Amino acid sequence: MRPVPPLGRLAAAGAAASLAVLSIAATPARAAQPGEIAWAQPYMEYVVNIATDATIPKPIKITVENSVPTTAVDVSVTIDASAVSAAFQLDLPDASQGCTVAGKVATCTLDELPGNSTHVYTIDALPGDLDVFEYEGLIEVTTSAANMPEDQQTSGYVQLTSPGVDLVVDEIDDITLEPGQSASVPVQAANVGTVAAAGVQVVLSVGLDLELPDQYDNCQYNPDFLELTCQILGEVGPGEVFALHEDTPLRVKVAPNAPGPARQIVTVAVTPLGEQQEAELGARSAQDTGNQLRLAAVEPVWDINDSDNWTDFFVEIPKQSADTVAIGATVPGEIGDTVDIAVGMRNDGPADLLLPGEAWAPSALVTLPAGVEAVTVSDRCTPVVDGNPDWDNGGKAIGLSYLCFPTHSPVAGETFEYPFQVKIVGAAGAAGSIVVDGGVQDPDTANNTAAITLGAGGGGGAGGGLPVTGAPAALVAGAGVLLVAAGVAAVVLFRRRRIVTVVD
């Protein structure tokens, strides 16, 4: 099983943020100040299955997320289970969770919900009167806030099912690691179902710039998905908890040249193996005469609630220096000559350069010197006309000024060049320049500018003493939004576990 994050939730969060911006823009001048609109959105699983013979309550989590920076005030949450029959025994949130209960409706209040945070309410569910033949029921949740434009709603079903395994994975705290550091991931899950699992499959998936250094005979690494899949034999009965032994950890490591500041996501999924899979794995292990265990290509057995079989957390990488250096050029020749030149940017490290984001991307503003005209330009460059990038004519020779982007963020020690072909049409005049933007990692902006000169005396290296100090911020910010893919904004719920950090 490959864990799938709640993309609907992420899309809703993005839509909420967009709507907040639009609402601010559309309101009168007094209300147009940023930070006045909150977005307290409820979420719950679409279907929660409860075994008909369950004796351990199944927790149903209702998460209220404020997905914008503004604090939501006077938040009210209504949890309505009126449509759920007596076939279910629901313990709605009460005073211990800040709620009041009237019949099958719980009303919960929060004085405020800080921006970019969540609050979770829990319903404990058990089977009730099984002589009632309504084995499915709808729970509706509505949220409101004094500074939210309109009420928000969600709903989910509870349904009774046959007995089965039901693994629930513990949440994991975010951690901070420097490049080269590693930490053990505290994988733990409980079987809250009524059937034993014969074994478990653990899948650990990581983001870019993270590594999975531990290798075990019963694990396989998939470089395409950056994930490690391990199948472990050993019964996990109802009510029992499964955890990795401290002598055999699964660690996540930050690559030595990883850029920062950055957030890299790690996803952990645990699914059950059945008796047949246990037998197949055991047989293959017995037949193996080598040191490596050949894993069976088997699917995990059905888990009656697979939505809570995974969790994720972030590895925070602090700021890491990556010195971006401009590389200029000299245009040799006489009037009438057509000359090939290349300017560029080099990452002198020690870290790799951050990947592009919505607000920033590595870039270079190239201004050709007076006395030449462009014949061909790099396909990574867009002409700048009247101070704005002419996106419709990217890669075309128009004028002397161009905004250029590398195909990728240069790693430490890498150079990226932008080729130009120019024709010398006059005597040398004002020098041109290349000005690179290395972002927040760049420790030395003095070498971000280099000269592009016509004829002798040009400065082909970094610097050049030109009065240009940086690429226009508006150009780069706008380009960052248009040219790079938006990063996935993972939702972080409550974190309960600690992780021990070591330096390798």
Side-chain angles (χ1 to χ4, degrees):
M1 167 186 168
R2 179 165 174 74
V4 180
L7 297 180
R9 180 186 304 175
L10 302 182
S18 300
L19 180 57
V21 172
L22 294 175
S23 299
I24 291 172
T27 50
R30 188 205 64 79
Q33 300 301 316
E36 290 193 357
I37 294 178
W39 202 264
Q41 176 76 40
Y43 302 100
M44 65 178 296
E45 296 298 338
Y46 185 66
V47 176
V48 177
N49 291 318
I50 302 165
T52 54
D53 62 345
T55 57
I56 301 173
K58 175 67 179 178
I60 301 173
K61 292 186 177 181
I62 296 170
T63 301
V64 181
E65 180 192 6
N66 184 6
S67 56
V68 297
T70 304
T71 296
V73 296
D74 297 333
V75 179
S76 178
V77 181
T78 301
I79 302 170
D80 188 349
S82 301
V84 179
S85 75
F88 299 87
Q89 178 184 327
L90 300 182
D91 186 7
L92 296 176
D94 56 16
S96 65
Q97 299 188 52
C99 309
T100 58
V101 179
K104 292 186 176 182
V105 179
T107 302
C108 312
T109 58
L110 293 170
D111 291 337
E112 60 180 37
L113 180 62
N116 299 317
S117 69
T118 60
H119 189 87
V120 177
Y121 297 97
T122 301
I123 302 172
D124 285 333
L126 281 168
D129 183 0
L130 298 183
D131 292 331
V132 177
F133 293 106
E134 296 178 28
Y135 278 15
E136 181 180 271
L138 179 68
I139 299 174
E140 296 182 295
V141 183
T142 303
T143 58
S144 63
N147 58 340
M148 187 166 66
E150 58 187 15
D151 293 353
Q152 299 300 307
Q153 295 181 324
T154 192
S155 59
Y157 288 90
V158 290
Q159 68 180 17
L160 295 175
T161 65
S162 58
V165 178
D166 189 2
L167 295 183
V168 178
V169 176
D170 277 12
E171 293 168 355
I172 300 174
D173 288 332
D174 296 340
I175 58 173
T176 298
L177 294 176
E178 297 278 355
Q181 288 184 331
S182 66
S184 296
V185 180
V187 179
Q188 182 168 298
N191 183 2
V192 300
T194 58
V195 174
V200 295
Q201 175 171 279
V202 178
V203 180
L204 198 62
S205 306
V206 298
L208 297 173
D209 300 311
L210 298 181
E211 301 172 353
L212 296 168
D214 297 308
Q215 301 295 323
Y216 297 104
D217 291 343
N218 56 336
C219 298
Q220 287 184 328
Y221 179 69
N222 186 328
D224 295 329
F225 291 109
L226 302 178
E227 71 180 19
L228 187 70
T229 299
C230 303
Q231 293 178 330
I232 306 169
L233 298 178
E235 183 175 283
V236 181
E240 294 182 350
V241 174
F242 159 80
L244 296 181
H245 195 282
E246 61 182 9
D247 292 340
T248 56
L250 286 178
R251 293 176 299 159
V252 59
K253 180 179 179 180
V254 177
N257 294 332
R263 305 182 81 203
Q264 298 290 345
I265 194 169
V266 178
T267 303
V268 178
V270 178
T271 52
L273 300 177
E275 293 181 359
Q276 179 179 352
Q277 287 77 20
E278 178 186 27
E280 292 179 4
L281 283 171
R284 289 171 184 263
S285 177
Q287 295 170 3
D288 193 349
T289 58
N291 294 324
Q292 297 296 315
L293 172 65
R294 295 192 303 270
L295 299 181
V298 298
E299 292 293 329
V301 299
W302 178 61
D303 186 297
I304 64 175
N305 287 290
D306 60 6
S307 60
D308 52 15
N309 284 45
W310 69 277
T311 189
D312 57 42
F313 65 95
F314 284 103
V315 175
E316 304 277 357
I317 304 173
K319 181 178 176 180
Q320 305 297 320
S321 294
D323 189 11
T324 304
V325 179
I327 302 172
T330 298
V331 182
E334 305 294 335
I335 293 176
D337 289 347
T338 298
V339 180
D340 292 325
I341 63 170
V343 295
M345 55 198 304
R346 183 178 70 248
N347 178 8
D348 279 353
D352 297 342
L353 202 60
L354 286 167
L355 294 176
E358 290 184 344
W360 175 85
S363 64
L365 181 61
V366 176
T367 303
L368 298 175
V372 306
E373 66 178 24
V375 178
T376 63
V377 304
S378 168
D379 60 3
R380 302 299 303 172
C381 297
T382 295
V384 176
V385 179
D386 296 329
N388 295 302
D390 183 0
W391 302 113
D392 292 335
N393 287 300
K396 295 182 180 179
I398 301 175
L400 296 179
S401 184
Y402 298 85
L403 184 61
C404 304
F405 293 86
T407 57
H408 58 277
S409 294
V411 299
E414 183 180 10
T415 297
F416 190 90
E417 293 186 340
Y418 306 102
F420 286 80
Q421 188 177 74
V422 299
K423 183 176 181 181
I424 302 175
V425 295
S433 65
I434 175 172
V435 184
V436 298
D437 182 359
V440 298
Q441 293 176 270
D442 201 341
D444 181 12
T445 57
N447 58 17
N448 285 16
T449 301
I452 306 174
T453 59
L454 173 58
L466 298 176
V468 184
T469 58
L475 294 181
V476 176
V481 173
L482 292 172
L483 295 183
V484 301
V488 176
V491 179
V492 182
L493 302 180
F494 288 99
R495 309 301 192 184
R496 302 195 298 260
R497 303 291 302 283
R498 291 186 178 181
I499 300 180
V500 178
T501 301
V502 297
V503 179
D504 292 338

